[in-house]
Amino acid sequence: MVLVALNLRPALSSLSPLLTRLQLDLQLSPAAVGALTTVPVLCLGLFAPLAPRLAHRLGIERALSFALLLLGGALLLRAQHLLPALFAGTILAGAAIGIGGTLLPGLVKREMPERADLLTGVYTMALCLGGALGAGLSVPLAGWLGGWVPAIAFWALPAFVGLLAWRLLMPHPWPQRIPGSRREKHPGLGRNALAWQVTLLMGSQSSMAYIVFGWLPVLLQQRGVSEADAGLMLGFSVMMQLGSALAAPWLGRLGRDQRPALLILLLLTAAGLVLALLGPQQWTWGAMVLLGFGQGGTFSLALTLLVLRSATPGIAGQLSGMAQGLGYCIAALGPFAVGLLLDWQIGLGGISALLLGILLIAALFAVLAGRRLQLQVDESSGEIVTRQQTACR
């Protein structure tokens, strides 16, 4: 699972440090650059609902193998000087990541139900490491390999290595179907307030994450930071997410619920963004530390809520599909909005106000979703209902 998770972020983080080169090389308009950062996030949401269907037909293990194969092919496709191939590969990469990321929480709940939150922290740490490597190595790889095209194509290699390891190390049984049985799917999730609170928390915090992945190097370059340093700063910030991603589930266990931990982490994210975009330039590296700690922990806890708020693996899979499907569609609005503001030549002050507004929305839903509640199946009606969580694991 760690090897799979390592491959679910470089496709997103490796492009932003090279956006200036792509824009000059392919003569992209600001709107096209904005679309390039928005499309993969939108695809995460649009293709997430496909994941449970694939898992039902192929099994979770084979569905993840398909996602890794699609990801590797997509990264090779977009590594060309052709604009249609660039966008097509970006769309397919977003689809592959949407499928893989949706399946992992249910797999965690199935394999380690008693320690699902801690294992979620481990694979979230792997996600952050993959994102850090993609951001920090993009510009050096372009220099070593002779351009942005081979630098982007390089990330297909770990995807295929991860696919090979997943096929060799993880059993791939076909799902056993009993005649007349249907895939476990309980009604009522779309009408449940707690499910929507988790979904909107996932969407708002993910919007911040993909704004940082897609636009932080560009925003830092507006402050006079070089292209190479801007990519290194993004990579350093994502690297800082490793520790907080692993520690966040443990931090969430200290109180009766996850609300205090979520609010502290969102406050760190806000402080890091304000310092990075508006503070003295000598504080920028320190701002990357705060930003990384805040975002890594928030993302880890948001993913942890998918298993903590679910009583069974089946509910976890349904909630994961809803939260990541709808959530990532909502999240795509963030990078698109930043692209519009840059196109309208809005300064860093206006962009910072937008980012703080998104964080306030995230804080509101963190207070609601972080309560000690759980989605369970009502025995009489068969619908998903919200009940008090009896044990905080």
Side-chain angles (χ1 to χ4, degrees), residues 121-172:
V122 171
Y123 88 75
T124 305
M125 185 176 69
L127 286 173
C128 297
L129 178 59
L133 293 174
L137 293 179
S138 288
V139 175
L141 280 173
W144 298 334
L145 300 178
W148 64 266
V149 171
I152 290 177
F154 170 84
W155 297 106
L157 177 61
F160 289 128
V161 171
L163 172 61
L164 179 63
W166 182 252
R167 291 290 301 178
L168 293 177
L169 300 177
M170 191 73 178
H172 278 56

Side-chain angles (χ1 to χ4, degrees), residues 27-70:
Q27 298 182 339
L28 299 177
S29 66
V33 174
L36 200 58
T37 61
T38 303
V39 162
V41 185
L42 183 61
C43 289
L44 294 183
L46 293 177
F47 287 90
L50 182 62
R53 297 176 181 271
L54 285 174
H56 176 62
R57 292 184 176 276
L58 305 177
I60 293 181
E61 295 82 4
R62 279 186 169 81
L64 281 169
S65 291
F66 169 76
L68 287 171
L69 180 63
L70 179 62

Side-chain angles (χ1 to χ4, degrees), residues 106-119:
L107 189 62
V108 168
K109 188 73 174 179
R110 188 193 76 184
E111 295 293 326
M112 292 186 65
E114 299 299 322
R115 290 292 180 266
D117 54 344
L118 298 181
L119 184 56

Side-chain angles (χ1 to χ4, degrees), residues 231-246:
L232 285 175
M233 286 180 176
L234 174 59
F236 178 72
S237 175
V238 180
M239 187 67 73
M240 291 298 100
Q241 296 182 16
L242 297 178
S244 61
L246 187 59

Side-chain angles (χ1 to χ4, degrees), residues 17-375:
L18 301 171
L19 279 179
T20 302
R21 298 193 188 198
L22 267 73
Q23 187 171 13
L24 293 174
D25 194 9
L26 300 177
Q27 298 182 339
L28 299 177
S29 66
V33 174
L36 200 58
T37 61
T38 303
V39 162
V41 185
L42 183 61
C43 289
L44 294 183
L46 293 177
F47 287 90
L50 182 62
R53 297 176 181 271
L54 285 174
H56 176 62
R57 292 184 176 276
L58 305 177
I60 293 181
E61 295 82 4
R62 279 186 169 81
L64 281 169
S65 291
F66 169 76
L68 287 171
L69 180 63
L70 179 62
L71 178 61
L75 290 171
L76 291 177
L77 175 62
R78 80 171 183 176
Q80 301 183 46
H81 285 90
L82 301 173
L83 193 59
L86 177 64
F87 273 93
T90 301
I91 290 171
L92 292 176
I97 295 169
I99 293 170
T102 302
L103 292 174
L104 280 174
L107 189 62
V108 168
K109 188 73 174 179
R110 188 193 76 184
E111 295 293 326
M112 292 186 65
E114 299 299 322
R115 290 292 180 266
D117 54 344
L118 298 181
L119 184 56
T120 299
V122 171
Y123 88 75
T124 305
M125 185 176 69
L127 286 173
C128 297
L129 178 59
L133 293 174
L137 293 179
S138 288
V139 175
L141 280 173
W144 298 334
L145 300 178
W148 64 266
V149 171
I152 290 177
F154 170 84
W155 297 106
L157 177 61
F160 289 128
V161 171
L163 172 61
L164 179 63
W166 182 252
R167 291 290 301 178
L168 293 177
L169 300 177
M170 191 73 178
H172 278 56
W174 286 99
Q176 295 183 356
R177 297 187 181 89
I178 301 173
S181 68
R182 300 184 64 182
R183 175 165 55 102
E184 178 188 6
K185 185 175 182 181
H186 302 287
L189 190 68
R191 301 188 298 273
N192 188 279
L194 178 60
W196 277 102
Q197 290 155 12
V198 173
T199 296
L200 293 171
L201 171 61
M202 178 65 75
S204 53
Q205 69 85 27
S206 295
S207 180
M208 287 301 310
Y210 293 114
I211 287 171
V212 169
F213 274 139
W215 290 113
L216 183 62
V218 175
L219 298 176
L220 291 175
Q221 287 175 53
Q222 287 197 358
R223 300 206 68 191
V225 179
S226 69
E227 179 191 50
D229 285 345
L232 285 175
M233 286 180 176
L234 174 59
F236 178 72
S237 175
V238 180
M239 187 67 73
M240 291 298 100
Q241 296 182 16
L242 297 178
S244 61
L246 187 59
W250 173 81
L251 182 63
R253 288 182 172 208
L254 294 181
R256 286 183 55 83
D257 54 45
Q258 291 74 46
R259 287 176 291 182
L262 282 167
L263 291 176
I264 290 171
L265 292 165
L266 288 169
L267 182 61
L268 288 176
T269 303
L273 282 169
V274 170
L275 282 177
L277 300 183
L278 301 177
Q281 286 202 9
Q282 61 267 28
W283 292 1
T284 305
W285 284 101
M288 294 299 103
V289 175
L290 295 177
L291 180 62
F293 282 164
Q295 287 202 295
T298 304
F299 180 54
S300 180
L301 267 184
L303 285 178
T304 302
L305 290 183
L306 298 180
V307 294
L308 288 181
R309 298 289 89 94
S310 304
T312 67
I315 295 176
Q318 283 185 244
L319 181 60
S320 178
M322 176 178 174
Q324 298 196 63
L326 294 175
Y328 285 140
C329 288
I330 295 169
L333 298 175
F336 181 71
V338 172
L340 284 180
L341 293 181
L342 289 171
D343 198 20
W344 297 338
Q345 298 184 344
I346 303 297
L348 292 178
I351 293 175
S352 299
L354 170 68
L355 302 185
L356 290 177
I358 296 173
L359 285 172
L360 281 175
I361 294 172
L364 170 64
F365 289 110
V367 170
L368 297 172
R371 294 173 295 167
R372 193 172 173 179
L373 301 172
Q374 195 172 62
L375 299 171

